[in-house]
Amino acid sequence: MSGLLRLTIVLLLLAGARPGWADPPPLSEESATCVACHETFQPGLVTDWQRSRHASTTPAAGLAKPVLQRRISATAVPAAQRDVAVGCYECHGALPDAGADRFEHFGTVIHTVVTPRDCAGCHPTEVTEYDGSKKAHAVGNLDQNPVYHGLVNTVLAPQTLRDGALQSTPPSAATRAATCFACHGTTVEVTGKRTVPHELGDFELPVLSGWPNQGVGRINPDGSRGSCSSCHARHRFDLAVARSPETCSECHLEPDTPAWEVYRESKHGNLWFVNQASQVRDAVPWRPGPDFQYPTCATCHNSLLVGPDDTVLAPRSHDFGARLWVRLFGLPYAHPQPRSGATHTIRNAAGQPLPTTLDNQPASEHLIDAATAASRQATMTKVCSACHSSTWSQGHFAKLDQTIAETNQLTLAATQLLQLGYARGRADPTNLFDESIERAWVRQWMFYANSTRYGAAMCGQDYSTFKNGWFQLGSNLLAMQDWLRDGKAKAEE
Amino acid sequence: MSGLLRLTIVLLLLAGARPGWADPPPLSEESATCVACHETFQPGLVTDWQRSRHASTTPAAGLAKPVLQRRISATAVPAAQRDVAVGCYECHGALPDAGADRFEHFGTVIHTVVTPRDCAGCHPTEVTEYDGSKKAHAVGNLDQNPVYHGLVNTVLAPQTLRDGALQSTPPSAATRAATCFACHGTTVEVTGKRTVPHELGDFELPVLSGWPNQGVGRINPDGSRGSCSSCHARHRFDLAVARSPETCSECHLEPDTPAWEVYRESKHGNLWFVNQASQVRDAVPWRPGPDFQYPTCATCHNSLLVGPDDTVLAPRSHDFGARLWVRLFGLPYAHPQPRSGATHTIRNAAGQPLPTTLDNQPASEHLIDAATAASRQATMTKVCSACHSSTWSQGHFAKLDQTIAETNQLTLAATQLLQLGYARGRADPTNLFDESIERAWVRQWMFYANSTRYGAAMCGQDYSTFKNGWFQLGSNLLAMQDWLRDGKAKAEE
Amino acid sequence: MSGLLRLTIVLLLLAGARPGWADPPPLSEESATCVACHETFQPGLVTDWQRSRHASTTPAAGLAKPVLQRRISATAVPAAQRDVAVGCYECHGALPDAGADRFEHFGTVIHTVVTPRDCAGCHPTEVTEYDGSKKAHAVGNLDQNPVYHGLVNTVLAPQTLRDGALQSTPPSAATRAATCFACHGTTVEVTGKRTVPHELGDFELPVLSGWPNQGVGRINPDGSRGSCSSCHARHRFDLAVARSPETCSECHLEPDTPAWEVYRESKHGNLWFVNQASQVRDAVPWRPGPDFQYPTCATCHNSLLVGPDDTVLAPRSHDFGARLWVRLFGLPYAHPQPRSGATHTIRNAAGQPLPTTLDNQPASEHLIDAATAASRQATMTKVCSACHSSTWSQGHFAKLDQTIAETNQLTLAATQLLQLGYARGRADPTNLFDESIERAWVRQWMFYANSTRYGAAMCGQDYSTFKNGWFQLGSNLLAMQDWLRDGKAKAEE
């Protein structure tokens, strides 16, 4: 029985890492007031928060942990927040003068949209890392890049038939928000006020444009960029959620960025999904071996991984490109990662806001150099090494390099077919996206080349072969050649 | 170690509600006989039932529960069934004179096909609700609607090549059953008898056409419509199954109705799949907060949801359209929900059995009015309010309204291109579905407009953008315009 | 309460069958040495193995089990391996003279690539069964079959534009390995040596071509065929993984072999995924009823299934075609299963290496006869009978037969359209795969007919209808007819 007791204590300690078991810390007076009403009106939301680590610990307790175990990167937290749970008011009110969306609500000034600026009170390092990343600039990288702005505006334009021809009008804000900018992020602005009738007394709320939205590059009413809840959803902010592949899958999906599908079909995904109940998903640091044996997206791309004897295999980063040396998707050609997350500032040799010219000459001064690339690949190889030999990793990366070279070549062939068509008057280069043959060209790189590269990078061979892979790359080229040759058949699939 | 086991048992008893651990109730004599043989011959099936609530409780125990907790809607149950488990005979034999498929089996008269009429003995309210729904009429809504009947007959027609041209023959019953009517439901009829040789003595069984099938509108040998096992599968009839999104996914899949894919990629789906082990799926009533924090299909569409203090947020309904005001899919244009589940009885201004004309004039007398629509949206908003503010819900529904308007506009453009083609003799309007350009038109509304709307309705932006969304809506229009303009290129993607 | 449940589950796991909790058996001296270093350098890999059955039992303990419970098919194991755990050295070194990839590593001769020949030490029956299967011959069945070799070489050929026309070069080894042969298997050969600098002293490793790879027909350095880790991944070799559908899904995916998608959407998949936490996945034998109520791929296709009183419902087989009578995919026409796994040796009446001629005359002498087919169907029916009546199974198989006949007919129509095109000079029969119309023909059988048949075979109606099903079969025929008729429009979708 003493063995049982010992076992029970061990189990309780194990269970203890899980929030909710210990006595919860006190709430600030403001947060207690919020909960008192909202647990009746939004019971799902409030329970979600109550089961969070935010509800079950305090910043002071976080600061007292050894550095490797800390989930808080601030070295100090204001006194008012230090010894209370991280409650409603701490996030929705602690910086009451920050955003234009603040309003008075039953005696307290709060704001609807919690932004990275709010989170930075306890997590400044993460916010800073993120702010320099491509994700943080995801709005500008579409809207301020004339090529991508043209793509968005052409694809999302409502069309009507006039005199037998299609005519376009500009995209609506609602459609932008329901499509591209659902992932990239909207611009959230206060456009007015409205009165909400309520049994406890009518109250006013700001009217927000571009809301709701949790796009990764959201422009917030306080001017900050990003939405931590893109990944740390929703009021539980559970690390287990952020580290689960389902979270990344909200945006990284076929046909343009099939990271989810490729991962799911890979051996990594296979083993994760079969064994996920036995994988510890919320430990900090995260230890390959004791905590988990099978990786998720976060394992390879951004989590702090620690080996035996506390050796850091890979540091945490909230710039999700920090371990990547090549950029596989989103542009006609794979190319070295950009130096700045604000990719719309790039200019290539042809003056276009693209990291390569249309015949694949890289804008090298805007891209990382070979030494940086090698250093990032070395970090990634260290992640691989938790389970794989160097023979394995080297063989894998060699395959990927070849795939990158060949898919770039197949995009170049498609581009040249299109350009020949322009030269022969078969198509009009004014708008790159508003003719059938141009859509075929877009499919070549945005769907087929991207998919083929993802498949090679993460071992999802279906996506390199028959599912938007080599079969489609080749069929599309044949169709584009048919179009060029006789002007009769048109490009397809 | 025995102490550990004892503790485990105590903890299991404390953990409580799992059916099957308490002493099971007595079986009727008939059911006990069934089990005695079939646990040898169909051990999987029998175990499935043994782990069901049906096996571990009685109608009497169900009737004794407070109303909100009841899973039985009858107010009385015949004496023979009241105090025994709901066993084989209670469902397969209790109404022996009901269906043409009844037969004598080792001394007892039973029937193979359990129908809503059988289930209504204990669950009459659910059966009545269901019987008025579109699901219950899913067979007639295809077969008795001349337009849809034409679609089915054209798409499923085996084709052969004669003198260089394709020729069609009518679809086979087997192919109908393996495709459209697998979801919509077959007509199950007794077509004869057969003798089964058996070690316990040969016996006769009815031969059934259209069997097996669990389509939602199945026409049963007793004349009833539907198959409760569509969702309450199979012999466990587990509420956890009916409420899990995988169940709905058997039919609501891309490219025509991508509800599963859109949910899976949404934040709702993300949070559900990562956290499903901690979500209580079989509580009645179902409480946002204590029971679950993340919704499934059933949460929003039909389950009884109860807030703190037993406030009913949304009543249970087995008419799955009961909380819906607009119909997003299945027809060329999104439109107000039909008044009757038997949509094949609708006639629009052009006399067609469609809820709108081909240029989108609604057949309003067959559709719900604005007040009903508003009332349904208010109910849905109450479901949202368990976790979301009204600012959130209003912003979401405003986006959806715009998506509906614009996708209808893009379907209209495609329809007009097709009609111009008819007018110019480029296509033949006799059959709406047997030419390539007509298939492009079908893809426009059935695949692309539907997907775009689903994506907007349930936050799966991929399906509104690049995966059968705006990109494809526009590319398809360009291809249809190419076809119309020069008669050379044909419509595609 | 959920915390209590979680504790209970932990206690149950402690009380129960989970390998790894009991005292582990001794390691061989060699394996102990491996672990001493590699638990530092590859903690993920070593932990994975430590949680395996291999680490927690010995061959002797396996041999002592009753036959039905044995996971080892050898009747004797060499003394050196008999009483130690199955550790690193037992698999990577026990046959040191077998493969060309052996090398000396800190005093021990080992090899990187563990092959079926290594596994045969304990699992000879499985290896023999597998070696005769189509999977084991998956490399030759592509590369030594001229038709398929042509498909591979055409689809994977990098293309460049010269003088306005596409020109091909042969596929690279890397691209072959990242696509077709990722599933089918590479040829792994030693191409040299390299020196690895290391803190414990530099060491040499063989350089391997075609590595890493776990394709099912991998040609190993020791000349054997296959990779047991295709399914028994990775160092845990967990039966629960091999029996989980995610494992099969690494290769059996849409659009060519949508087994995963069809299963996932079927009622089988629905029930499995909702209930998998309660399904015992690693029992030997595997008992429908007590162990599981819902089947996975392995249940129906290869696992040893045992009913009450230890009746064998279906014997285990590692020839995954052993219970199949008809071959649904991979070839233009569904046809009786081939007699030999080495399908590239088949010659049809036209002398082609295909199991049917292009107008669907079977090469019967290479295919199983009717009696064998009937016997296999009887075995499969026994599997069904664990949960389904014979009425059910017969109805199901009747539907499938009709689907096979009709999809073959639709492939024939497409083939005849293509052949008419050849006859009229519209296409060039020299290479069957390098023109747009030929790609349409490939899609007809490889994507659409296959999907339709999978959907019918495993109840995934979406794949028989709108998702690469009848809709696409018919649209593709219309497009091919357009192409033939006026040479203007080209085949698509």
Side-chain angles (χ1 to χ4, degrees):
Chain A
M1 196 62 175
S2 79
L4 181 58
L5 263 175
R6 203 154 35 104
L7 177 62
T8 302
I9 288 164
V10 169
L11 287 169
L12 282 172
L13 287 175
L14 282 173
R18 175 96 193 132
W21 286 80
D23 280 345
L27 301 190
S28 65
E29 193 181 329
E30 295 91 341
S31 290
T33 308
C34 302
V35 168
C37 275
H38 282 272
E39 70 184 349
T40 298
F41 293 117
Q42 263 109 38
L45 180 162
V46 173
T47 304
D48 200 31
W49 169 77
Q50 283 167 337
R51 297 190 178 185
S52 73
R53 178 173 291 270
H54 276 172
S56 63
T57 190
T58 63
L63 286 166
K65 296 244 184 187
V67 170
L68 268 183
Q69 295 176 31
R70 271 190 216 162
R71 294 151 195 262
I72 183 171
S73 56
T75 50
V77 168
Q81 282 92 50
R82 198 183 299 145
D83 296 304
V84 292
V86 184
C88 321
Y89 182 71
E90 283 62 38
C91 302
H92 283 277
L95 299 169
D97 58 346
D101 60 329
R102 67 191 184 279
F103 61 102
E104 188 276 334
H105 188 61
F106 293 102
T108 306
V109 174
I110 58 172
H111 54 283
T112 300
V113 185
V114 176
T115 79
R117 203 164 288 169
D118 296 301
C119 303
C122 294
H123 307 287
T125 303
E126 289 71 23
V127 168
T128 301
E129 288 166 354
Y130 189 85
D131 200 53
S133 74
K134 294 192 294 297
K135 280 190 168 44
H137 293 83
V139 174
N141 289 347
L142 279 194
D143 263 351
Q144 297 178 40
N145 180 322
V147 174
Y148 279 85
H149 191 63
L151 176 62
V152 169
N153 268 13
T154 307
V155 168
L156 301 183
Q159 303 197 61
T160 49
L161 204 67
R162 298 262 167 83
D163 305 323
L166 294 167
Q167 296 204 342
S168 292
T169 51
S172 66
T175 285
R176 285 169 48 97
T179 57
C180 308
F181 297 90
C183 286
H184 281 251
T186 54
T187 297
V188 181
E189 290 175 321
V190 178
T191 60
K193 289 193 174 184
R194 66 187 179 96
T195 300
V196 178
H198 200 275
E199 57 193 76
L200 300 177
D202 297 358
F203 55 87
E204 282 201 323
L205 288 179
V207 176
L208 299 169
S209 67
W211 188 256
N213 177 270
Q214 293 89 44
V216 294
R218 193 179 67 201
I219 311 290
N220 298 303
D222 65 6
S224 64
R225 285 186 295 259
S227 162
C228 301
S229 62
S230 301
C231 307
H232 296 276
R234 274 208 76 224
H235 284 88
R236 197 176 301 179
F237 311 98
D238 192 350
L239 203 47
V241 169
R243 284 177 176 166
S244 289
E246 287 90 346
T247 299
C248 311
S249 89
E250 287 186 37
C251 293
H252 292 275
L253 286 167
E254 66 149 305
D256 50 321
T257 59
W260 159 261
E261 290 92 350
V262 163
Y263 172 79
R264 201 215 57 70
E265 82 176 68
S266 73
K267 203 168 280 298
H268 285 164
N270 168 4
L271 290 166
W272 172 263
F273 287 112
V274 173
N275 291 291
Q276 55 183 317
S278 71
Q279 306 292 293
V280 176
R281 292 183 293 181
D282 60 356
V284 173
W286 212 15
R287 296 178 189 275
D291 290 332
F292 69 95
Q293 300 85 50
Y294 314 117
T296 66
C297 313
T299 310
C300 300
H301 290 285
N302 90 303
S303 290
L304 166 62
L305 300 185
V306 164
D309 304 323
D310 285 353
T311 319
V312 172
L313 296 172
R316 180 190 296 121
S317 175
H318 277 69
D319 173 354
F320 293 85
R323 296 179 195 164
L324 298 176
W325 54 99
V326 65
R327 193 172 172 206
L328 296 181
F329 75 93
L331 279 299
Y333 300 97
H335 57 276
Q337 284 283 330
R339 295 188 182 185
S340 160
T343 59
H344 60 85
T345 62
I346 294 175
R347 288 298 174 275
N348 64 23
Q352 297 158 317
L354 297 173
T356 66
T357 58
L358 289 180
D359 58 352
N360 196 20
Q361 301 308 310
S364 298
E365 67 272 34
H366 296 280
L367 310 177
I368 62 171
D369 59 21
T372 306
S375 157
R376 293 185 182 187
Q377 186 166 345
T379 299
M380 186 65 93
T381 300
K382 271 198 139 178
V383 176
C384 305
S385 77
C387 297
H388 297 291
S389 72
S390 60
T391 303
W392 187 287
S393 314
Q394 288 176 12
H396 176 70
F397 290 134
K399 263 192 290 188
L400 176 57
D401 285 345
Q402 185 70 20
T403 296
I404 289 169
E406 293 180 7
T407 51
N408 278 352
Q409 178 181 337
L410 295 182
T411 294
L412 181 62
T415 306
Q416 292 170 334
L417 283 163
L418 178 62
Q419 289 170 329
L420 276 176
Y422 287 152
R424 296 179 190 177
R426 289 265 168 72
D428 173 1
T430 311
N431 178 330
L432 278 172
F433 308 109
D434 68 346
E435 294 174 81
S436 289
I437 195 67
E438 294 166 329
R439 295 295 180 103
W441 174 70
V442 171
R443 289 198 297 272
Q444 184 78 354
W445 51 270
M446 194 186 281
F447 297 172
Y448 310 144
N450 280 358
S451 295
T452 303
R453 291 193 283 252
Y454 268 104
M458 310 199 316
C459 300
Q461 49 270 3
D462 193 44
Y463 278 82
S464 296
T465 314
F466 286 126
K467 181 70 187 180
N468 295 343
W470 274 89
F471 188 85
Q472 285 74 21
L473 281 166
S475 295
N476 199 38
L477 282 177
L478 291 174
M480 291 183 78
Q481 180 177 245
D482 292 346
W483 166 82
L484 184 68
R485 184 177 289 162
D486 50 38
K488 292 166 182 165
K490 50 177 290 303
E492 52 93 34
E493 198 189 352
Chain B
M1 196 62 175
S2 79
L4 182 59
L5 270 173
R6 201 151 36 101
L7 176 59
T8 300
I9 288 162
V10 169
L11 287 170
L12 272 172
L13 289 175
L14 285 172
R18 174 122 188 94
W21 286 87
D23 280 345
L27 301 191
S28 65
E29 192 181 330
E30 295 90 341
S31 290
T33 309
C34 302
V35 169
C37 275
H38 282 272
E39 69 183 350
T40 298
F41 294 117
Q42 263 110 38
L45 181 161
V46 172
T47 303
D48 201 33
W49 169 79
Q50 284 166 336
R51 297 190 178 184
S52 73
R53 178 172 292 269
H54 275 172
S56 62
T57 190
T58 63
L63 286 166
K65 296 244 183 187
V67 171
L68 268 184
Q69 295 176 30
R70 270 190 217 162
R71 295 153 194 262
I72 183 170
S73 58
T75 50
V77 167
Q81 282 91 51
R82 197 183 300 145
D83 296 303
V84 293
V86 184
C88 320
Y89 182 72
E90 283 63 38
C91 302
H92 284 276
L95 299 168
D97 58 348
D101 60 330
R102 66 193 185 280
F103 62 102
E104 188 274 335
H105 188 61
F106 294 102
T108 307
V109 175
I110 58 173
H111 54 282
T112 301
V113 185
V114 176
T115 79
R117 202 166 287 171
D118 296 301
C119 303
C122 294
H123 308 286
T125 302
E126 289 71 24
V127 168
T128 301
E129 288 167 352
Y130 189 86
D131 201 53
S133 75
K134 294 191 295 295
K135 280 190 169 44
H137 293 83
V139 174
N141 288 348
L142 279 194
D143 263 351
Q144 296 178 42
N145 179 321
V147 174
Y148 279 85
H149 191 64
L151 175 63
V152 168
N153 268 12
T154 307
V155 168
L156 302 182
Q159 303 196 59
T160 49
L161 203 68
R162 296 264 166 83
D163 305 324
L166 295 167
Q167 295 204 342
S168 293
T169 51
S172 66
T175 285
R176 285 169 48 97
T179 56
C180 308
F181 297 90
C183 286
H184 280 251
T186 55
T187 298
V188 181
E189 290 175 322
V190 178
T191 60
K193 287 192 176 186
R194 66 188 178 94
T195 300
V196 178
H198 201 275
E199 57 193 79
L200 300 177
D202 296 358
F203 55 87
E204 282 202 323
L205 288 178
V207 176
L208 300 169
S209 68
W211 187 255
N213 177 269
Q214 294 88 43
V216 295
R218 193 179 67 200
I219 310 292
N220 298 303
D222 65 6
S224 64
R225 284 187 296 260
S227 162
C228 301
S229 63
S230 301
C231 308
H232 296 274
R234 273 207 80 221
H235 284 89
R236 198 176 300 180
F237 312 98
D238 192 350
L239 202 47
V241 169
R243 284 178 176 167
S244 290
E246 287 89 346
T247 299
C248 311
S249 89
E250 287 186 37
C251 293
H252 293 275
L253 285 168
E254 65 148 306
D256 50 321
T257 60
W260 157 261
E261 290 91 351
V262 163
Y263 172 79
R264 201 214 57 71
E265 82 175 68
S266 73
K267 203 168 279 299
H268 285 164
N270 168 5
L271 290 166
W272 172 263
F273 286 112
V274 173
N275 291 291
Q276 57 183 316
S278 70
Q279 306 292 292
V280 177
R281 292 183 294 183
D282 61 355
V284 173
W286 211 15
R287 296 179 189 273
D291 290 332
F292 69 94
Q293 299 86 50
Y294 314 116
T296 67
C297 314
T299 310
C300 301
H301 290 284
N302 91 304
S303 290
L304 166 61
L305 300 185
V306 164
D309 305 322
D310 285 353
T311 321
V312 172
L313 296 173
R316 180 190 295 121
S317 174
H318 277 70
D319 174 355
F320 294 84
R323 295 179 196 165
L324 298 176
W325 53 101
V326 64
R327 192 171 173 208
L328 296 183
F329 74 94
L331 278 300
Y333 300 96
H335 57 275
Q337 284 282 330
R339 294 187 183 186
S340 160
T343 59
H344 60 85
T345 62
I346 294 175
R347 289 296 174 275
N348 64 24
Q352 297 158 316
L354 298 172
T356 66
T357 58
L358 288 181
D359 59 353
N360 196 20
Q361 300 309 310
S364 297
E365 67 273 33
H366 296 280
L367 310 178
I368 62 170
D369 58 21
T372 306
S375 156
R376 293 186 182 186
Q377 187 167 343
T379 299
M380 186 64 92
T381 301
K382 270 197 139 178
V383 176
C384 305
S385 77
C387 297
H388 296 290
S389 70
S390 61
T391 303
W392 187 287
S393 314
Q394 289 177 11
H396 176 70
F397 290 134
K399 263 192 290 188
L400 176 57
D401 285 344
Q402 184 70 19
T403 296
I404 290 169
E406 294 180 6
T407 51
N408 278 354
Q409 178 182 336
L410 295 182
T411 294
L412 181 61
T415 305
Q416 291 171 334
L417 283 164
L418 178 63
Q419 289 170 329
L420 276 176
Y422 288 151
R424 296 179 189 177
R426 289 265 167 74
D428 174 1
T430 311
N431 178 330
L432 278 173
F433 307 109
D434 68 346
E435 294 174 81
S436 289
I437 194 67
E438 293 166 329
R439 295 296 179 103
W441 173 69
V442 171
R443 288 199 297 272
Q444 183 78 355
W445 51 270
M446 194 186 280
F447 297 172
Y448 310 143
N450 281 358
S451 295
T452 304
R453 291 192 283 252
Y454 267 105
M458 312 200 314
C459 299
Q461 50 270 2
D462 193 43
Y463 277 83
S464 296
T465 314
F466 286 127
K467 180 70 187 180
N468 295 343
W470 274 89
F471 189 85
Q472 285 74 22
L473 281 166
S475 295
N476 199 37
L477 283 177
L478 290 174
M480 292 183 77
Q481 180 177 247
D482 292 346
W483 166 84
L484 185 67
R485 184 177 290 162
D486 50 37
K488 292 167 182 166
K490 49 176 291 303
E492 49 94 36
E493 196 184 356
Chain C
M1 198 62 169
S2 76
L4 184 58
L5 266 174
R6 202 164 338 112
L7 177 60
T8 301
I9 287 161
V10 170
L11 287 169
L12 271 175
L13 287 175
L14 285 173
R18 177 126 185 90
W21 288 86
D23 280 345
L27 302 191
S28 66
E29 192 182 330
E30 295 91 341
S31 290
T33 308
C34 302
V35 168
C37 276
H38 281 272
E39 69 183 348
T40 297
F41 293 118
Q42 263 111 39
L45 180 161
V46 173
T47 303
D48 200 33
W49 169 77
Q50 283 166 337
R51 297 189 179 185
S52 73
R53 178 172 291 269
H54 275 172
S56 62
T57 190
T58 64
L63 286 166
K65 296 244 182 186
V67 169
L68 267 184
Q69 295 176 30
R70 270 190 217 162
R71 294 153 195 261
I72 184 171
S73 58
T75 51
V77 168
Q81 283 91 51
R82 197 182 300 143
D83 296 303
V84 292
V86 184
C88 320
Y89 183 71
E90 283 62 40
C91 301
H92 283 277
L95 299 170
D97 59 348
D101 59 331
R102 67 193 184 280
F103 61 103
E104 188 275 335
H105 189 60
F106 293 102
T108 307
V109 174
I110 58 173
H111 54 283
T112 301
V113 185
V114 176
T115 79
R117 202 164 289 168
D118 296 300
C119 303
C122 295
H123 308 286
T125 303
E126 289 71 23
V127 169
T128 301
E129 288 166 353
Y130 189 86
D131 200 53
S133 74
K134 294 192 293 298
K135 279 191 170 42
H137 293 83
V139 174
N141 288 348
L142 280 193
D143 263 351
Q144 296 179 40
N145 180 322
V147 174
Y148 279 85
H149 191 63
L151 175 63
V152 169
N153 268 11
T154 307
V155 167
L156 302 183
Q159 303 197 60
T160 48
L161 205 67
R162 297 263 166 83
D163 304 324
L166 294 167
Q167 297 204 341
S168 292
T169 51
S172 66
T175 286
R176 285 170 48 98
T179 57
C180 309
F181 297 90
C183 285
H184 280 251
T186 55
T187 298
V188 180
E189 290 175 323
V190 178
T191 60
K193 288 193 175 183
R194 66 186 177 96
T195 301
V196 178
H198 201 273
E199 58 194 76
L200 300 176
D202 296 358
F203 56 87
E204 283 201 323
L205 288 178
V207 175
L208 299 170
S209 68
W211 187 255
N213 177 268
Q214 293 88 43
V216 295
R218 193 180 67 201
I219 311 292
N220 298 303
D222 65 6
S224 64
R225 285 186 296 260
S227 162
C228 301
S229 63
S230 302
C231 307
H232 296 275
R234 274 207 77 221
H235 284 88
R236 197 176 301 179
F237 311 99
D238 191 351
L239 203 48
V241 169
R243 284 177 176 167
S244 289
E246 287 89 347
T247 298
C248 311
S249 89
E250 288 186 36
C251 294
H252 292 275
L253 286 167
E254 67 149 305
D256 50 320
T257 58
W260 158 260
E261 290 91 350
V262 163
Y263 172 79
R264 202 213 57 71
E265 82 175 68
S266 74
K267 203 169 279 299
H268 285 164
N270 168 5
L271 290 166
W272 172 263
F273 287 112
V274 173
N275 291 290
Q276 56 182 316
S278 70
Q279 306 292 293
V280 177
R281 292 183 294 183
D282 61 356
V284 173
W286 210 15
R287 295 179 189 274
D291 289 332
F292 69 94
Q293 299 86 49
Y294 314 116
T296 67
C297 314
T299 310
C300 300
H301 291 284
N302 91 304
S303 290
L304 166 62
L305 300 185
V306 164
D309 304 322
D310 286 352
T311 321
V312 172
L313 295 172
R316 179 190 297 120
S317 175
H318 277 70
D319 174 355
F320 293 84
R323 295 179 195 163
L324 298 176
W325 54 100
V326 65
R327 192 172 173 207
L328 296 182
F329 76 93
L331 279 299
Y333 300 97
H335 57 276
Q337 283 283 329
R339 295 188 182 184
S340 160
T343 58
H344 60 84
T345 63
I346 294 174
R347 289 297 173 276
N348 64 23
Q352 297 158 316
L354 298 173
T356 66
T357 59
L358 288 181
D359 60 352
N360 196 18
Q361 301 308 310
S364 297
E365 68 272 34
H366 296 280
L367 309 177
I368 63 170
D369 60 20
T372 307
S375 156
R376 293 185 182 187
Q377 186 166 345
T379 300
M380 186 64 93
T381 301
K382 271 199 140 178
V383 176
C384 305
S385 77
C387 297
H388 297 290
S389 71
S390 61
T391 303
W392 187 286
S393 315
Q394 288 177 11
H396 176 71
F397 290 134
K399 262 192 291 188
L400 176 57
D401 286 345
Q402 185 70 20
T403 295
I404 290 168
E406 294 181 7
T407 51
N408 278 352
Q409 179 181 335
L410 294 183
T411 294
L412 182 62
T415 305
Q416 292 170 334
L417 283 164
L418 178 63
Q419 290 170 329
L420 275 177
Y422 289 151
R424 296 179 189 177
R426 289 266 167 73
D428 173 0
T430 310
N431 179 330
L432 278 173
F433 308 108
D434 67 347
E435 294 174 80
S436 288
I437 194 68
E438 293 166 328
R439 295 296 180 103
W441 173 69
V442 171
R443 289 199 297 271
Q444 183 77 355
W445 51 269
M446 195 186 281
F447 297 171
Y448 310 143
N450 280 359
S451 295
T452 304
R453 292 193 283 252
Y454 268 104
M458 312 199 315
C459 300
Q461 48 271 4
D462 192 44
Y463 278 82
S464 297
T465 313
F466 287 126
K467 180 72 186 179
N468 294 342
W470 274 89
F471 189 84
Q472 285 75 21
L473 280 166
S475 295
N476 199 36
L477 283 177
L478 290 174
M480 291 183 78
Q481 180 177 246
D482 292 345
W483 165 83
L484 184 68
R485 185 177 290 161
D486 51 36
K488 291 169 185 164
K490 49 177 293 303
E492 50 96 34
E493 198 188 357

